[in-house]
């Protein structure tokens, strides 16, 4: 009996060793295939803005993911997943390989097949026409890819990583990140293939009102509207049909053209509905865009389908795709000089505001003509649009609710900051109160941080680095016409707290500046703190807010895009230690 028992024990040990060796070899082999697959999926995801490139990137990935899935799904492996300690490691690996394989075979591969032969060159007009049918044709596959990739990303993200050893946990985290990036890329492609053909007149003639913002005079969404244009499209052909300056709207009077919500009026008065310049003052483009549309209808009789807002920084990004363009004035507009030329130099050269507006119009028209004529690098255009959208300096609104819903959740909507159980987001919006172009010389800083418990801090700093006022044109300083001394800059800073958040404490510090009290309000359920520092050249002012709200994994902020793309919110330190 003893020898029989010993033999049985030995047999079990041998089988255990064999099983362990079997699993170990297969795991190591599967890990190699999975690493290769992750790299290829990441490459394909980054290439989704050029689907034809993604096809070649995916040529070998299917074999890797299929082999990895096969190696991690046999009966021995599945039995071992029930064991303590080692089981969760093996289950995590098999779940990850299965998700990556499904993403490739059921999502990316069909998309690559549908988009074979479609490259970014499809965006280049031929005889002034973009082939919208080729873009629309891959919409179903792009939709399916997004659904499949999002599902795979969710499955991997849901894996409990607490019992996993470092190497396995790292692999799971890396795979989840790659799949999330691929899902986001497929989502962007899906939205583009549905919306772009529609806005280019694939189904019917379309008209779009383009608002050109001026970052030298801040408004919440970027800058005061300085010029407007109507862009008509039909079957992929774009035509610039009309342009106007803000002065053209003066004859309409200053009565509101639409009724604004009561909470908007409480915070901003009726100015956003009275002046075209202020249609970007409310930090929600779905409020200002319809106002601008109605003003354009009253001025021209034309009712547009869409409204788009952009700024000189966006033009500078587009100029990297088109190369330099020559203006009617003889100036060469480049990616490097567009911002200083349009936001500063123009005021020294042309004292008359109408001449300034004409210069702005010629600049935007020249860039449009380069785009419409196909004189651009398509990949660089996609990069320019993506960058401008990410920086919230390119906004889109469609009168058609279904089309507008295509943009839900994207920065292109210019919506109020969104918070949920995972993320809390402040909004910091800047508005000129001087009646000038002094904001070209102002520099904001925004920092967020969690403090102890359910407290957070928000730090806002403004600095004025303007030269002596005597060296600036009167149109830039405002000439003191609105009660602000020449050379000073008055800024209305509107801080939107996350939904449910309450202010606990607020502190201000200045270096010679004037920082009066606060005027609070509520907009769309969000508590709004308004602070209005007045800065002379060389002066600065700081605001620190302590806020009570439920703690989330992520704390961040969005803010008004300025002339400097580097001026974005960042993480900082708590300004209110417990």
């Amino acid at each position: 009996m003893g020898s029989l028992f010993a033999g049985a024990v030995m047999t079990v040990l041998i089988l255990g060793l064999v099983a362990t060796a079997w699993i170990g070899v297969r795991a190591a082999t599967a890990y190699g295939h999975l690493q290769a697959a992750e790299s290829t999926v990441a490459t394909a995801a980054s290439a989704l803005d050029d689907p034809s490139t993604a096809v070649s990137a995916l040529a070998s990935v299917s074999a890797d993911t299929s082999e990895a899935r096969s190696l991690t799904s046999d009966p021995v492996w599945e039995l071992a997943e029930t064991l303590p300690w080692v089981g969760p490691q093996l289950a995590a690996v098999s779940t990850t390989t299965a998700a990556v394989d499904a993403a490739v075979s059921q999502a990316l591969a069909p998309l690559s097949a549908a988009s074979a032969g479609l490259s970014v060159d499809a965006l280049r007009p031929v005889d002034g026409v973009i082939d919208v049918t080729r873009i629309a044709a891959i919409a179903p596959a792009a939709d399916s890819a997004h659904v499949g990739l999002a599902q795979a990303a969710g499955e991997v993200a849901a894996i409990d990583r607490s019992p996993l050893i470092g190497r396995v946990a790292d692999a799971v985290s890396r795979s989840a990140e790659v799949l999330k990036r691929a899902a986001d890329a497929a989502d962007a492609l899906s939205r583009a293939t549905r919306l772009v053909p529609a806005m280019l007149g694939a189904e019917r003639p379309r008209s779009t009102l383009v608002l050109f913002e001026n970052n030298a005079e801040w408004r919440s969404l970027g800058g005061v509207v300085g010029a407007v244009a109507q862009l008509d499209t039909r079957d992929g052909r774009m035509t610039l049909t009309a342009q106007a300056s803000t002065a053209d709207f003066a004859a309409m009077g200053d009565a509101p053209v639409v009724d604004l919500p009561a909470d908007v009026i409480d915070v901003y008065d009726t100015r956003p509905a009275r002046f075209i310049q202020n249609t970007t003052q409310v930090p929600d483009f779905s409020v200002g865009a319809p106002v601008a549309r109605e003003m354009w209808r009253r001025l021209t009789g034309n009712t547009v389908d869409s409204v788009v807002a952009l700024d000189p920084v966006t033009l500078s990004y587009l100029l990297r795709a088109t190369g330099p363009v020559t203006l009617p004035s003889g100036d060469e507009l480049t990616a490097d000089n567009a911002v200083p030329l349009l936001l500063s130099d123009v005021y020294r050269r042309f004292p008359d505001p109408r001449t300034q507006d004409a210069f702005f119009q010629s600049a935007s028209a020249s860039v449009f003509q380069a785009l419409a004529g196909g004189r651009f690098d398509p990949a660089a255009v996609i990069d320019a649009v993506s960058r401008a959208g990410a920086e919230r300096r390119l906004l889109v609104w469609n009168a058609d609710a279904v089309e507008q819903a295509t943009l839900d959740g994207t920065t292109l909507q210019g919506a109020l900051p969104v918070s949920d159980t995972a993320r809390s987001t402040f909004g910091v919006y800047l508005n000129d109160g001087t009646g000038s172009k002094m904001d070209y010389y102002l520099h904001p800083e925004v920092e967020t941080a969690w403090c102890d418990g359910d407290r957070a801090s928000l730090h806002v700093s403004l600095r004025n680095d303007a030269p002596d006022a005597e060296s600036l044109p009167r149109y830039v300083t405002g000439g003191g016409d609105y009660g602000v001394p020449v050379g000073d800059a008055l800024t209305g800073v509107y801080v939107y707290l996350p939904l449910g958040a309450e202010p606990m404490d607020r502190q201000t510090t200045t270096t010679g500046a004037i920082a009066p009290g606060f005027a609070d309000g509520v907009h769309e359920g969000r508590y709004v703190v308004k602070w209005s520092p007045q800065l002379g050249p060389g002066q600065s002012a700081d605001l620190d807010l302590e806020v009570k709200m439920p703690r989330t994994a992520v704390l961040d902020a969005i803010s008004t895009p300025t002339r400097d793309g580097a001026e974005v919110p960042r993480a900082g330190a708590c300004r209110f230690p417990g």
Side-chain angles (χ1 to χ4, degrees):
M1 178 68 72
S3 61
L4 181 62
F5 179 75
V9 171
M10 183 62 67
T11 300
V12 170
L13 289 174
I14 291 172
L15 289 175
L17 289 172
V18 170
T20 300
W22 174 270
I23 292 171
V25 170
R26 292 171 75 85
T29 307
Y31 184 75
H33 284 293
L34 187 59
Q35 277 190 311
E38 285 176 359
S39 176
T40 307
V41 170
T43 300
S46 65
L48 282 180
D49 56 4
D50 186 354
S52 65
T53 302
V55 174
S56 59
L58 289 168
S60 62
V61 71
S62 182
D64 279 315
T65 59
S66 296
E67 184 63 22
R69 187 170 191 172
S70 174
L71 289 165
T72 58
S73 59
D74 71 352
V76 176
W77 187 289
E78 292 175 356
L79 180 62
E81 287 184 3
T82 64
L83 298 174
W85 187 79
V86 73
Q89 321 299 323
L90 301 179
V93 172
S94 63
T95 299
T96 300
T97 54
V100 173
D101 183 51
V104 171
S105 60
Q106 300 172 25
L108 283 175
L111 174 59
S112 68
S115 58
L118 175 63
S119 70
V120 291
D121 250 6
L123 295 177
R124 192 189 301 277
V126 177
D127 296 328
V129 177
I130 295 175
D131 188 350
V132 291
T133 59
R134 295 177 64 191
I135 300 174
I138 66 172
D143 290 344
S144 178
H146 170 237
V147 172
L149 287 164
Q151 180 178 341
E155 291 172 356
V156 177
I159 295 174
D160 181 7
R161 298 171 207 178
S162 59
L164 304 183
I165 60 175
R167 189 174 182 183
V168 176
D170 290 344
V172 171
S173 297
R174 191 169 58 250
S175 295
E177 182 181 347
V178 167
L179 289 170
K180 176 64 166 60
R181 288 204 308 269
D184 290 345
D187 181 33
L189 181 64
S190 171
R191 295 173 192 253
T193 55
R194 283 180 281 140
L195 186 60
V196 170
M199 293 190 69
L200 289 177
E203 299 174 357
R204 60 180 176 82
R206 294 287 298 262
S207 57
T208 299
L209 181 66
V210 182
L211 310 178
F212 297 99
E213 298 182 83
N214 188 325
N215 310 98
E217 185 175 351
W218 284 335
R219 293 295 184 269
S220 295
L221 293 176
V224 63
V225 175
V228 299
Q230 180 174 324
L231 176 66
D232 291 345
T233 57
R234 182 170 186 170
D235 295 326
R237 183 182 295 277
M238 300 181 291
T239 307
L240 190 63
T241 55
Q243 289 185 283
S245 71
T246 54
D248 296 321
F249 292 85
M252 296 170 49
D254 62 358
V257 299
V258 301
D259 293 328
L260 294 173
D263 57 350
V264 170
I265 294 176
D266 286 343
V267 177
Y268 298 99
D269 195 57
T270 58
R271 288 185 297 274
R274 290 159 47 205
F275 307 104
I276 187 69
Q277 297 94 323
N278 288 336
T279 52
T280 49
Q281 185 174 20
V282 180
D284 182 351
F285 199 50
S286 69
V287 174
V291 174
R293 179 187 189 227
E294 174 60 17
M295 289 182 175
W296 184 250
R297 186 195 66 78
R298 295 191 182 192
L299 181 67
T300 66
N302 300 331
T303 301
V304 298
D305 301 288
S306 310
V307 182
V308 171
L310 54 86
D311 62 5
V313 180
T314 302
L315 288 182
S316 74
Y317 296 163
L318 290 170
L319 282 162
R320 297 192 185 282
T322 65
V325 298
T326 302
L327 307 184
S329 64
D331 292 281
E332 185 178 66
L333 191 67
T334 72
D336 294 326
N337 74 6
V339 172
L341 181 59
L342 296 174
L343 296 182
S344 177
D345 297 349
V346 65
Y347 303 116
R348 298 181 183 276
R349 294 174 53 182
F350 307 116
D352 183 1
R354 283 190 173 273
T355 307
Q356 297 164 5
D357 289 343
F359 190 82
F360 293 138
Q361 291 172 8
S362 69
S364 56
S366 297
V367 175
F368 165 78
Q369 288 165 2
L371 294 171
R375 303 192 305 274
F376 60 85
D377 175 356
V381 167
I382 293 176
D383 181 68
V385 171
S386 298
R387 182 177 179 184
E391 293 177 3
R392 300 177 181 273
R393 55 180 82 253
L394 176 63
L395 308 175
V396 180
W397 175 83
N398 290 281
D400 185 301
V402 174
E403 290 183 359
Q404 185 62 11
T406 303
L407 297 174
D408 283 351
T410 70
T411 57
L412 295 175
Q413 283 189 323
L416 293 177
V418 175
S419 298
D420 52 33
T421 56
R423 178 181 298 270
S424 299
T425 307
F426 287 92
V428 180
Y429 302 106
L430 311 171
N431 287 267
D432 170 74
T434 315
S436 71
K437 299 297 183 288
M438 289 294 294
D439 293 331
Y440 182 82
Y441 302 101
L442 263 60
H443 300 281
E445 292 183 2
V446 177
E447 295 181 358
T448 58
W450 281 113
C451 302
D452 293 334
D454 58 354
R455 298 181 305 121
S457 74
L458 175 77
H459 175 74
V460 181
S461 175
L462 278 178
R463 184 183 79 257
N464 184 351
D465 68 358
D468 186 271
E470 297 297 325
S471 67
L472 297 174
R474 188 180 193 280
Y475 191 79
V476 171
T477 65
D481 290 347
Y482 296 92
V484 179
V486 174
D488 282 13
L490 175 64
T491 305
V493 181
Y494 295 78
V495 178
Y496 278 61
L497 273 55
L499 280 168
E502 300 176 6
M504 297 178 62
D505 192 8
R506 58 190 80 183
Q507 301 173 3
T508 62
T509 57
T510 65
T511 56
I514 299 174
F518 300 89
D520 295 359
V522 176
H523 180 200
E524 289 286 334
R526 296 163 176 82
Y527 197 101
V528 182
V529 175
K530 182 186 177 183
W531 175 57
S532 301
Q534 180 177 310
L535 310 178
Q539 295 179 343
S540 63
D542 298 84
L543 167 67
D544 288 296
L545 287 177
E546 182 183 22
V547 177
K548 181 180 181 180
M549 59 186 181
R551 196 178 188 93
T552 55
V554 178
L555 177 67
D556 61 11
I558 59 177
S559 62
T560 297
T562 68
R563 69 177 178 91
D564 186 349
E567 292 175 337
V568 296
R570 62 179 183 269
C574 177
R575 304 277 174 157
F576 297 89

